[in-house]
Amino acid sequence: GPRWEQLPLDWSDTPLGPGYPNMIHAAWSDLGVLTAGTVLRIEAEGFNGEDGPIAGWGWYLNVWSGDGRQWDKKSNAFRMLHFNPRPRAGIIAMNHCLRSGWGPEKDAPIPEPWQLTNAAKPFVLELELDPKAWSMKLNGELQPDMGYDRQGEFSEPLILQLYDLLQPRLSILRGGRVVEPPQQAISGGSWKQLPIDWKDTQLGPGYPTKIKAAWTDLGVMTAGNVLRIEADGFNGKDGPIASWGWYLNVWSGDGRHWTKKLDAYRLLHLNPRPRGGSVAMNHCLNTGWGPQKDVPVPKAWKLANSAKPFVLEMELGPTAWSMKLNGELQPGMAYERKGDFSRPLLLQLYDVTNPRVSLKTA
């Protein structure tokens, strides 16, 4: 069946809109030609909720026909869909702007995830192009009020524009219905996106260099649970500690304060080292580090690919972890379960670019 494809975003400045010359920083993505049944999925860590001169306009997305990046200079750039949540006004303004100008604005009530108090909370928006209209899902729930009639000519490649979203990511499912991505096809359970917080910590035991790490509370994990880590790449820049590469730790205990807590243990340490050509795997319990397991670094994690997105899935089995990278099983990266899994666990990520974490329970 159809497969989800992650699309790259580029950024450039553009005027806010017709008659509003304020320059804004927008994200853009080339979608190609869209056909009925195609689904766009936009994931974000929230939206800009700060006050400012143009805050009343909220955030928005445009689906463009023609060169939307240069819309103020091109006469053939048309908004097929303008979708504009305005939290301060309590509405979503929906419209289109073709050769004849703007259509009649359609206003829908602002849903709870897009109220101003939730500006810093992650959300997932899916837009499906039907034969006659767009349909929308927000965090998995259909939004009938947000349906919008198709307008304009869909025979040309389209462009998506996003403004004032926090850390947006974009995926497309071409010619299919709204289904879970293929990497989610694991028996039972459902995916849940987990929040990430950031806290400085030491690089590791004996290495006092301070690093900025991402942390996620996982709860108690049981056999069959799957962690999915999506990222836009990893840090490939040279530096004093670059040879250590990037890593993840699955902690038991208070890993955020591991330098001060004696009962914080690394149940899994996964450390791709592109410059060394290996992935170092280990664990560190109350008896110290185990024997290190080294496997060749896969192509997706070679230094030349540091800026390319990847998806890592880690399934906790009854006796071992198994790994999938970009949907492909990695037998060499299997790792025997170590430590006590009866307590809530914690994930730590270091030097991964724009990470997102989801958990699927068995």
Side-chain angles (χ1 to χ4, degrees):
R3 297 177 64 88
W4 286 99
E5 172 191 358
Q6 191 167 23
L7 298 181
L9 295 170
D10 58 271
W11 297 80
S12 66
D13 293 342
T14 186
L16 177 66
Y20 298 91
N22 309 66
M23 295 301 287
I24 62 169
H25 198 53
W28 307 83
S29 188
D30 294 295
L31 304 177
V33 177
L34 299 188
T35 57
T38 298
V39 187
L40 295 176
R41 185 173 61 203
I42 299 162
E43 300 173 84
E45 297 306 309
F47 56 88
N48 183 4
E50 297 181 2
D51 289 327
I54 57 176
W57 291 110
W59 62 271
Y60 68 68
L61 68 83
N62 287 318
V63 177
W64 289 91
S65 172
D67 189 0
R69 292 179 177 85
Q70 306 292 328
W71 69 267
D72 55 328
K73 303 171 185 176
K74 304 286 186 178
S75 61
N76 65 339
F78 305 127
R79 296 169 180 83
M80 320 283 276
L81 174 66
H82 175 69
F83 185 83
N84 178 202
R86 301 174 183 173
R88 290 168 178 81
I91 63 167
I92 302 172
M94 305 176 70
N95 212 329
H96 59 278
C97 188
L98 307 180
R99 193 177 303 276
S100 57
W102 288 99
E105 182 172 295
K106 173 185 176 179
D107 293 337
I110 198 90
E112 183 179 355
W114 292 340
Q115 292 180 3
L116 200 57
T117 53
N118 295 322
K121 294 184 179 179
F123 68 84
V124 179
L125 172 65
E126 289 183 344
L127 302 88
E128 180 165 358
L129 181 63
D130 296 325
K132 295 183 179 180
W134 293 90
S135 61
M136 315 278 181
K137 281 186 175 182
L138 178 58
N139 295 338
E141 295 186 6
L142 188 65
Q143 305 291 315
D145 291 343
M146 286 157 51
Y148 194 79
D149 288 345
R150 281 176 63 151
Q151 304 287 342
E153 177 58 60
F154 282 80
S155 62
E156 298 181 9
L158 304 183
I159 294 174
L160 180 70
Q161 176 193 4
L162 299 170
Y163 163 61
D164 249 6
L165 290 184
L166 305 182
Q167 299 182 34
R169 291 89 66 190
L170 176 65
S171 303
I172 190 168
L173 181 70
R174 299 187 186 276
R177 306 301 295 178
V178 179
V179 297
E180 293 297 319
Q183 63 262 29
Q184 296 181 356
I186 300 168
S187 59
S190 59
W191 287 102
K192 179 183 179 183
Q193 190 169 22
L194 302 180
I196 287 176
D197 59 270
W198 296 82
K199 178 180 172 56
D200 292 346
T201 187
Q202 283 185 204
L203 177 65
Y207 297 90
T209 308
K210 286 288 187 180
I211 61 168
K212 189 176 181 65
W215 306 84
T216 295
D217 293 294
L218 304 176
V220 176
M221 291 189 66
T222 57
N225 289 181
V226 186
L227 275 178
R228 184 175 64 209
I229 299 161
E230 300 173 85
D232 292 335
F234 56 89
N235 184 4
K237 296 179 181 178
D238 289 328
I241 56 175
S243 61
W244 290 110
W246 62 272
Y247 68 68
L248 67 82
N249 287 317
V250 176
W251 290 90
S252 172
D254 187 1
R256 289 181 179 87
H257 301 95
W258 66 269
T259 57
K260 302 174 184 177
K261 303 289 185 177
L262 297 179
D263 64 342
Y265 305 127
R266 297 168 181 84
L267 304 189
L268 174 66
H269 175 69
L270 178 79
N271 177 204
R273 301 174 181 175
R275 291 169 178 81
S278 69
V279 178
M281 305 179 71
N282 212 328
H283 59 278
C284 188
L285 308 180
N286 57 357
T287 54
W289 288 100
Q292 181 169 297
K293 173 182 177 178
D294 292 328
V295 298
V297 73
K299 181 179 179 180
W301 291 341
K302 289 182 182 290
L303 201 57
N305 296 322
S306 63
K308 293 184 178 179
F310 68 84
V311 179
L312 172 65
E313 287 184 349
M314 308 160 56
E315 180 166 358
L316 181 64
T319 59
W321 294 89
S322 61
M323 314 280 178
K324 280 186 177 181
L325 180 57
N326 295 336
E328 295 185 5
L329 189 65
Q330 306 291 315
M333 285 163 53
Y335 195 80
E336 187 177 345
R337 282 177 61 151
K338 299 291 183 179
D340 180 6
F341 283 80
S342 64
R343 297 194 296 170
L345 304 184
L346 175 68
L347 178 69
Q348 177 193 4
L349 297 168
Y350 162 62
D351 250 5
V352 178
T353 305
N354 190 20
R356 290 87 69 189
V357 179
S358 302
L359 177 67
K360 186 168 188 176
T361 54

